C-alpha cells in the first residue's frame, strides 16, 4: 500500500498512525496537494490527501473511508473502531467531531492565507464552531475514567482528537488557549508521547 500526503496534515497522520499500529506495511509518499498536484491527480482527481493506493492500484480517499477499509482487514477484537453498538456510534461521533474541527482549522488557515482581505465574519464563525466543539470534547473526555477515551486501548477516536489538537495549536496558536481544556490537553500530551506518534510526525509548514 502507498500512503500519499504529508504528516503535517492531521488526516494523513491519523491514517499513518493506524497503519503503523496495525502493523501494516506501506510506502509513504509525502506529496503536497499543492506542489505535487499533477502527480497526485493520477490517483485522486480531487488532488486531496490522504490518498491510500492499494496493492491492486485502487485508490481510497478520505481518512474515514480509509480507516473503515483498514478495520475490515483486522479481527474485530483489534479494530480501533468498535464493531458493535452503542460503542461504535459513540466512537464515531467523537472522531467526527475531531475531524470536523480539523476541517474548520484548515478552512480558517486558507481563509487567512489565500485571501487578500480576510472575512471577519468567517473567522468569527470558525472560531465559535471550534470553541463549541472543543467544549463538547472536553466534557466528554472529563467524564471518562479509562486510560483512553473508550477503554484501555487506543482507538481511532483517541488518535483523531490528538492529531487535530496538535494541528490546531501549531497552525492557530493565537486562536484558543489549550489550558482552558485540561482534559483534552492531557489526552493529547499522553498520545503525543507514544513512540508511534513521534515517528509519524512532521511540523506544519505552510504551502508555497
Amino acid at each position: 500500500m502507498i500512503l500519499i500526503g504529508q504528516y503535517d496534515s492531521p488526516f494523513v497522520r491519523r491514517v499513518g498512525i493506524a497503519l503503523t499500529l496495525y502493523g501494516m506495511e506501506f510506502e509513504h509518499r509525502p506529496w503536497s496537494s499543492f506542489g505535487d498536484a499533477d502527480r497526485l491527480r493520477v490517483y485522486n482527481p480531487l488532488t486531496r490527501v490522504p490518498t491510500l493506493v492499494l496493492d491492486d492500484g485502487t485508490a481510497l480517499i478520505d481518512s474515514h473511508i480509509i480507516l473503515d477499509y483498514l478495520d475490515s482487514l483486522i479481527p474485530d477484537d483489534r479494530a480501533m473502531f468498535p464493531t458493535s453498538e452503542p460503542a461504535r456510534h459513540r466512537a464515531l461521533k467523537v472522531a467526527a467531531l475531531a475531524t470536523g474541527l480539523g476541517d474548520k482549522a484548515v478552512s480558517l488557515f486558507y481563509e487567512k492565507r489565500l485571501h487578500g482581505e480576510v472575512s471577519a465574519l468567517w473567522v468569527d464563525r470558525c472560531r465559535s464552531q471550534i470553541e463549541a466543539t472543543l467544549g463538547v470534547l472536553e466534557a466528554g473526555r472529563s467524564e471518562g475514567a479509562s486510560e483512553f477515551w473508550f477503554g484501555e486501548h487506543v482507538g481511532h477516536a483517541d488518535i483523531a482528537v490528538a492529531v487535530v489538537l496538535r494541528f490546531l495549536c501549531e497552525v492557530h496558536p493565537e486562536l484558543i488557549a489549550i489550558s482552558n481544556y485540561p482534559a483534552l490537553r492531557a489526552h493529547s500530551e499522553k498520545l503525543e508521547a507514544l513512540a508511534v506518534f513521534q515517528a509519524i510526525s512532521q511540523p506544519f509548514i505552510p504551502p508555497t
Side-chain angles (χ1 to χ4, degrees), residues 2-199:
I2 302 170
L3 175 60
I4 299 175
Q6 298 178 345
Y7 287 145
D8 61 358
S9 161
F11 307 104
V12 178
R13 194 174 177 223
R14 72 187 295 229
V15 174
I17 289 170
L19 283 164
T20 303
L21 286 173
Y22 280 153
M24 297 177 176
E25 293 187 3
F26 68 99
E27 175 189 342
H28 179 219
R29 295 184 185 175
W31 295 352
S32 164
S33 57
F34 278 78
D36 300 293
D38 289 341
R39 289 195 289 181
L40 181 54
R41 191 174 292 109
V42 173
Y43 300 100
N44 183 347
L46 293 172
T47 64
R48 294 180 61 184
V49 295
T51 294
L52 184 72
V53 184
L54 307 184
D55 293 340
D56 66 0
T58 301
L60 300 181
I61 60 176
D62 185 273
S63 64
H64 179 73
I65 299 303
I66 293 171
L67 294 180
D68 185 67
Y69 171 75
L70 297 183
D71 281 1
S72 75
L73 307 178
I74 294 294
D76 287 354
D77 62 350
R78 289 191 58 217
M80 288 190 288
F81 270 135
T83 58
S84 59
E85 299 293 356
R88 180 170 175 77
H89 77 256
R90 290 172 179 166
L92 287 170
K93 178 180 178 179
V94 170
L97 285 170
T99 55
L101 190 156
D103 284 334
K104 288 298 172 182
V106 171
S107 295
L108 186 55
F109 169 79
Y110 285 118
E111 172 67 25
K112 292 181 175 181
R113 184 173 180 83
L114 298 181
H115 294 169
E117 184 175 344
V118 177
S119 167
L121 179 63
W122 178 248
V123 172
D124 287 344
R125 178 175 172 80
C126 286
R127 181 186 292 110
S128 66
Q129 291 171 312
I130 288 170
E131 290 177 346
T133 303
L134 286 172
V136 171
L137 291 172
E138 173 70 15
R141 191 65 187 106
S142 298
E143 294 171 357
S146 56
E147 182 176 2
F148 297 103
W149 211 292
F150 295 104
E152 303 308 314
H153 302 283
V154 66
H156 290 311
D158 297 292
I159 297 168
V161 171
V163 297
V164 166
L165 280 178
R166 173 171 172 175
F167 178 81
L168 177 63
C169 290
E170 286 186 346
V171 178
H172 303 293
E174 78 295 340
L175 189 66
I176 58 105
I178 194 63
S179 59
N180 291 336
Y181 309 95
L184 291 180
R185 180 175 65 179
H187 174 87
S188 180
E189 289 176 349
K190 178 170 61 179
L191 268 70
E192 290 292 351
L194 298 176
V196 64
F197 277 72
Q198 295 182 23

